[in-house]
Structures are given as C-alpha cells and as structure tokens.
C-alpha cells in the first residue's frame, strides 16, 4: 500500500476563493463581509476539481490514500484577527471533510488550525477536537510561525504551546509542522520560508526537553526535513556540545521526516542519513513544484519514483516508508484503513 502523508487541496473550486476575497474585503469595509458561510460549492464541482488533478495523479503513481489538508499557503494565519482565522479555518476544514466523504478510499483528512499571531494555541483545541471526533481527521498542520515570516510567537518548545500538545496527545493525533505564506519579502514562501521553518522547528526541538514532557507527542517535519538531513552531523555535534542525549533517543521517537525532496540524490541522502523508521512517504502533490524535470522526463514531485530507484533500500524498508511508518505515526490511521477496507471500490469514485 502507498500512503502519501502530505497532500493539499490546491485545486479548490472557485467558490472558496470568492468567499476568502469577501472575507478579506470585509476586514477593511464591514459592508463587504460575506453574509453566509455557505460557499455554494456543489459536489460535482468538488469532483471536477479532483478528477483531473489529485485523483489522476494518484492513479498514475499508484498512491492508495492521500492524507489531505487545506492549501497550506492559504491558511495565512497572519491575515485579519483570530476571528477571521477561526471562520476561515472551519470553512477550509469542512471542505476537506466533503472531499473525504466523496472519496473515502482516496483521502483522509488533516486539519488546519485557527492560529493567529500572538493568540494562545490553546484556542485551537476546540477546532482540532471537532475535526478529529466529528469529521474523522487523523492529524493537524501546525504553523510554527503564524506571523508569516517574522517569527513573533514563542518557539515550539515553549509552554505557550503545551495546551495544544496536551490535546494532540489526548486525541492521539500528530502534527505536521507547516508554515503558510510568507509576508516577509526576504523569504520566498515555498523556496525559503517552508524550508527555514522545517529546519528551525527541528532545532527548537533539539534544544528543548519537550519530549520528556510529552513522550508520545509526534511531529512530521515535511519537505524532507528542511536542511536537517543534509546537516545531520552538525545537529548531532550541536546536541553533543549541549550535553543533550544522542538524537536517536532525544528526538527520533517523536520526530519524523517526509520524502518531499524532489530529486534522486536528495532521497538517497535522506534514506542514508535518517533511520528508515523515521521516514514517511509524501509527494505534496499538487503542490509547490508542478513541473517536469528535463533531466528525468518526470515530474519533480513524483517522489515514489526516486524511492524505487534507491538501490540501498530493501523491500522491507520501502514498505515501512510507504505504509508502515505512517500507521505508527498517525494513531488513527489504522482504524480509518479498516473502515476503508470495507468500502467497495465503486463507492470510492461515487
Ligand atoms: Zn505542504
């Protein structure tokens, strides 16, 4: 089985953007606020938005299930107030739920959180619980920098975040560390801000005792872990200088990396440096890099292809990366997969 742990709804029907434009216009002129949260999006529009994109790619690439969340750059927690974020988050999560209901064999949901700069993360607990217990979601995307590139909130190791972590542990859901768009012109969103955040989150974990306080808390660091695997010696050495335990004990029961690295040498390095048990298959399609690599003739984000090409991986290693590790990290994935087993293939494309 191939489980892609990192997919966003980047092909949403136009109704979502129309609502967002009105919501943002309403921040400067209250008369332009949307009068309803009903997007007017039909099931057929949702089907159309996926058939030529994510579903087509799933079929072509042999992906069985995508762990699916709202468009990451669209979260834009820095825009408007906490109320703006809460309203927008609920709408985006509900739309993911509709996708997962229409295609229960293809998608299982991960939610965005109603974060807002300077607002305590404890306030995200209610929406997380709603998504997990009512909508059947199995994780969340946690933005370590809701300010959108200015890093104004405390680091992930701060007690500021603890009430949200307590909720995650209670619900048995992991978080993918995922920033949103950048409003800092120094940081290109997907090329710099994303990778910076992945790297920064890892270092925040390294310098803290977070996982002594939360031994079962789990995070996925996407985009191959940012700069971390490439600089693994630096991080091991820094931990050693700081009298921290070896990274294998200190972080690797709790921190996992995805495979959104868009070339073979990068995947070779990732799978050589990071223990196989800590790597989860992902492509982030349809996402950050949509083109075809002229050197290979294949899409950059066709990451399964690279994993099949790494000669050093055994079949067992690939099995863990494609399926087994996701089942361990997402505590609620197994029961979803059991329900999925009972669905007929016909229902999947209803
Ligand atoms: Zn992403």
């Amino acid at each position: 089985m191939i489980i892609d742990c990192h997919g966003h709804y980047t092909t949403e029907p136009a109704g979502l953007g129309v609502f967002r434009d009105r919501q943002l216009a309403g921040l400067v002129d209250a008369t332009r606020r949307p009068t309803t949260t009903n997007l007017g999006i039909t099931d057929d529009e949702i089907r159309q938005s996926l058939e030529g994109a994510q579903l087509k790619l799933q079929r072509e690439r042999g992906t069985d299930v995508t762990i699916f969340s709202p468009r990451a750059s669209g979260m834009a927690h820095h825009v408007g107030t906490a109320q703006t974020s809460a309203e927008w988050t609920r709408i985006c999560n509900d739309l993911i739920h509709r996708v997962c209901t229409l295609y229960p064999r293809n998608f299982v949901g991960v939610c965005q959180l109603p974060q807002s700069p300077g607002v305590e993360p404890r306030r995200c607990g209610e929406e997380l619980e709603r998504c997990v217990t009512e909508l059947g979601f199995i994780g969340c995307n946690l933005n370590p920098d809701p300010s959108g590139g200015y890093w104004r909130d405390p680091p992930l190791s701060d007690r500021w975040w603890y009430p949200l972590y307590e909720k995650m542990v209670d619900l048995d859901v992991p978080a993918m560390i995922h920033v949103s768009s950048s409003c800092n012109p120094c940081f290109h969103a997907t090329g710099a801000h994303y990778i910076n955040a992945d790297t920064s989150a890892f270092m925040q974990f390294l310098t803290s005792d977070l996982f002594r306080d939360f031994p079962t808390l789990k995070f996925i660091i996407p985009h191959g872990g940012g700069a971390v695997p490439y600089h693994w010696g630096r991080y091991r050495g820094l931990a050693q200088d700081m009298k921290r335990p070896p990274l294998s004990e200190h972080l690797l029961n709790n921190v996992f990396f995805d495979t959104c690295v868009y070339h073979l040498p990068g995947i070779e390095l990732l799978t050589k440096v990071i223990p196989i048990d800590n790597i989860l298959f992902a492509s982030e399609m349809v996402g950050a890099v949509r083109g075809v690599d002229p050197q290979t003739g294949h899409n950059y984000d066709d990451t399964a292809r690279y994993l099949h090409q790494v000669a050093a991986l055994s079949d067992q290693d690939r099995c863990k990366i494609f399926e087994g590790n996701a089942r361990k990290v997402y505590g609620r994935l197994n029961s979803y997969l059991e329900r999925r087993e009972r669905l007929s293939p016909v229902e999947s494309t209803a």
Side-chain angles (χ1 to χ4, degrees), residues 6-8 69-73 141 176-179 194 222-223 258 260 284 287-288:
H6 188 173
H8 302 292
S69 60
R71 181 193 290 265
S73 60
N141 287 336
M176 179 171 279
I177 301 296
H178 210 309
V179 283
Y194 280 25
H223 320 113
D258 83 5
C260 294
E284 201 177 24

Side-chain angles (χ1 to χ4, degrees), residues 222-240:
H223 320 113
V228 170
Y230 192 63
H231 290 280
W232 196 239
R234 172 176 292 256
Y235 294 107
R236 284 180 49 235
L238 283 168
Q240 188 174 312

